[in-house]
């Protein structure tokens, strides 16, 4: 029985096809993800008053503003946000990490700070048929 | 008529595959497409299409109900993938059976998602599933194509001529 790899039956055109299709699949993921992030933003509020809206789909940068206990720096990067530095004693809000389009929120209790994702929110499927 | 035999094989593969434990819905192996492709290359487009449609109809009767949403999705996917596979095999001879099968599997998955979007779940989120479906389609298309390739060569050797 001749030993030959299972891939040897592929022609050149096949391999190009496979590579192209895989590329399209991966590319469609980034496109779809971008399509969802459009319009979504992170709403930052201190003491129940919204002070800034951070759009998710823009370049990476940091935002500085004041919380109830002092200055806060929020970073936006890759369609998500997180707190870089805060003036609260426990820094729990920093440990909360990133929030992105899929929902979630960051809370800093001493700073009375709340960051929520809102806007064009699309979270998962509402129905699934089999 | 060997077409009836092929259809029976296709339905059997479909049903057995439906019975296999599968943690992920909709990520199917599509084993019955081995028969569809084989019929296409041996008997031509009309017969290949017929076997494909028959397999989906009978298979749907056996596994889920007829005319459910799965049925329409499978039917649309099956017809388009059969058409694409025929065009690919007939007019683009640079592709092997494996490549043709991958083309069919890809079309099948893509069409199913599009149909699901327009007729059943009108949420854009469904397209988030596309990448994983498409990559799975390439893999399963490769496996099915390999099986078809082996079957086809076997048949040639058995009959000593191109069927």
């Amino acid at each position: 029985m001749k030993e030959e790899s299972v891939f040897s039956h592929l022609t050149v055109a096949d391999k190009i096809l496979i590579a192209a299709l895989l590329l399209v699949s991966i590319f469609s993921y980034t496109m779809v993800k971008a399509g969802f992030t459009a319009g979504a933003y992170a709403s930052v509020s201190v003491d129940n008053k919204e002070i800034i809206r951070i759009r998710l789909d823009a370049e990476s940068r940091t935002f500085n503003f004041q919380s109830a206990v002092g200055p806060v720096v929020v970073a936006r990067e890759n369609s998500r946000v997180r707190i870089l530095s805060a003036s609260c004693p426990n820094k729990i809000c920093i440990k909360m990490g990133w929030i992105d389009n899929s929902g979630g929120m960051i809370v800093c209790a001493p700073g009375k700070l709340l960051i929520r994702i809102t806007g064009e929110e699309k979270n998962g499927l509402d129905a699934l048929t089999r | 008529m060997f077409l009836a035999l092929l259809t029976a094989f296709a339905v059997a593969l479909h049903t057995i595959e439906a019975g296999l434990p599968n943690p992920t819905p909709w990520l199917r192996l599509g084993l019955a497409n081995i028969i569809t492709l084989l019929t296409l290359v041996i008997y031509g487009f009309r017969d290949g299409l017929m076997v494909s449609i028959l397999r989906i109809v009978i298979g749907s009767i056996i596994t889920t109900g007829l005319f459910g949403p799965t049925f329409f999705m499978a039917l649309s996917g099956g017809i388009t993938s059969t058409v694409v596979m025929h065009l690919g095999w007939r007019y683009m001879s640079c592709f092997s059976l494996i490549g043709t099968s991958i083309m069919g599997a890809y079309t099948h998955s893509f069409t199913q998602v599009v149909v699901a979007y327009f007729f059943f779940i009108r949420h854009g989120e469904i397209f988030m599933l596309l990448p994983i479906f498409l990559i799975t389609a390439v893999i399963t298309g490769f496996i099915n194509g390999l099986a078809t390739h082996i079957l086809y060569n076997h048949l040639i050797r058995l009959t000593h001529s191109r069927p």
Side-chain angles (χ1 to χ4, degrees):
Chain A
M1 192 65 144
K2 243 193 334 178
E3 289 275 340
E4 53 179 23
S5 152
V6 84
F7 293 107
S8 63
H9 296 293
L10 294 174
T11 67
V12 172
D14 288 339
K15 294 178 192 160
I16 299 178
L17 176 75
I18 294 178
L21 290 183
L22 285 178
L23 274 176
V24 168
S25 312
I26 297 175
F27 178 68
S28 72
Y29 174 70
T30 50
M31 266 191 51
V32 169
K33 191 131 200 279
F36 286 134
T37 323
Y41 54 86
S43 166
V44 181
S45 37
V46 173
D47 204 8
N48 270 326
K49 289 190 292 280
E50 188 181 69
I51 55 171
I52 185 175
R53 287 184 176 183
I54 303 180
R55 277 186 54 190
L56 286 187
D57 57 337
E59 322 82 47
S60 309
R61 63 162 285 195
T62 58
F63 299 82
N64 300 288
F65 47 88
Q66 289 287 332
S67 73
V69 296
V72 171
V73 181
V74 170
R76 168 189 63 218
E77 193 180 312
N78 292 338
S79 302
R80 34 188 208 159
V81 297
R82 74 172 170 126
I83 297 185
L84 266 188
S85 74
S87 313
C88 50
N90 294 323
K91 313 281 191 241
I92 297 177
C93 50
I94 301 181
K95 293 199 202 114
M96 283 177 134
W98 294 100
I99 53 173
D100 63 8
N101 202 38
S102 61
M105 60 173 75
I106 304 176
V107 176
C108 175
K112 297 190 186 162
L113 173 69
L114 172 67
I115 308 181
R116 262 191 339 120
I117 308 290
T118 168
E120 306 247 324
E121 214 177 37
K122 299 185 179 182
N123 286 329
L125 304 171
D126 287 331
L128 183 70
T129 60
R130 297 228 60 219
Chain B
M1 271 257 73
F2 286 118
L3 282 184
L5 192 63
L6 287 170
T7 311
F9 275 136
V11 173
L13 283 171
H14 178 115
T15 314
I16 293 176
E17 181 189 327
L20 289 176
N22 183 8
T24 54
W26 285 359
L27 288 187
R28 298 201 336 245
L29 291 172
L31 294 174
N33 292 306
I34 300 176
I35 306 292
T36 303
L37 184 57
L38 194 66
T39 316
L40 266 181
V41 305
I42 297 180
Y43 285 103
F45 178 60
R46 251 192 46 181
D47 296 329
L49 189 64
M50 188 160 57
V51 167
S52 176
I53 295 180
L54 275 177
R55 184 266 295 186
I56 292 176
V57 170
I58 300 178
S60 290
I61 293 181
I62 296 181
T63 54
T64 72
L66 200 53
F67 298 138
T70 339
F71 170 70
F72 285 115
M73 285 170 47
L75 193 64
S76 59
I79 294 181
T80 50
S81 82
T82 309
V83 168
V84 165
M85 285 201 284
H86 168 72
L87 292 176
W89 181 247
R90 175 86 194 278
Y91 298 111
M92 301 188 242
S93 55
C94 50
F95 292 112
S96 71
L97 276 174
I98 301 180
T100 322
S101 167
I102 292 181
M103 279 194 278
Y106 205 77
T107 321
H108 199 116
S109 292
F110 187 76
T111 313
Q112 281 193 300
V113 171
V114 169
V115 165
Y117 173 72
F118 279 112
F119 290 102
F120 303 118
I121 307 182
R122 266 233 173 219
H123 295 288
E125 290 83 5
I126 196 165
F127 289 105
M128 292 288 272
L129 297 168
L130 248 193
I132 189 122
F133 282 177
L134 293 180
I135 296 183
T136 311
V138 172
I139 300 175
T140 56
F142 179 81
I143 298 175
N144 290 337
L146 193 60
T148 312
H149 182 93
I150 296 175
L151 262 179
Y152 187 61
N153 288 339
H154 217 73
L155 283 176
I156 292 182
R157 250 179 275 138
L158 275 180
T159 62
H160 300 289
S161 62
R162 303 185 81 82

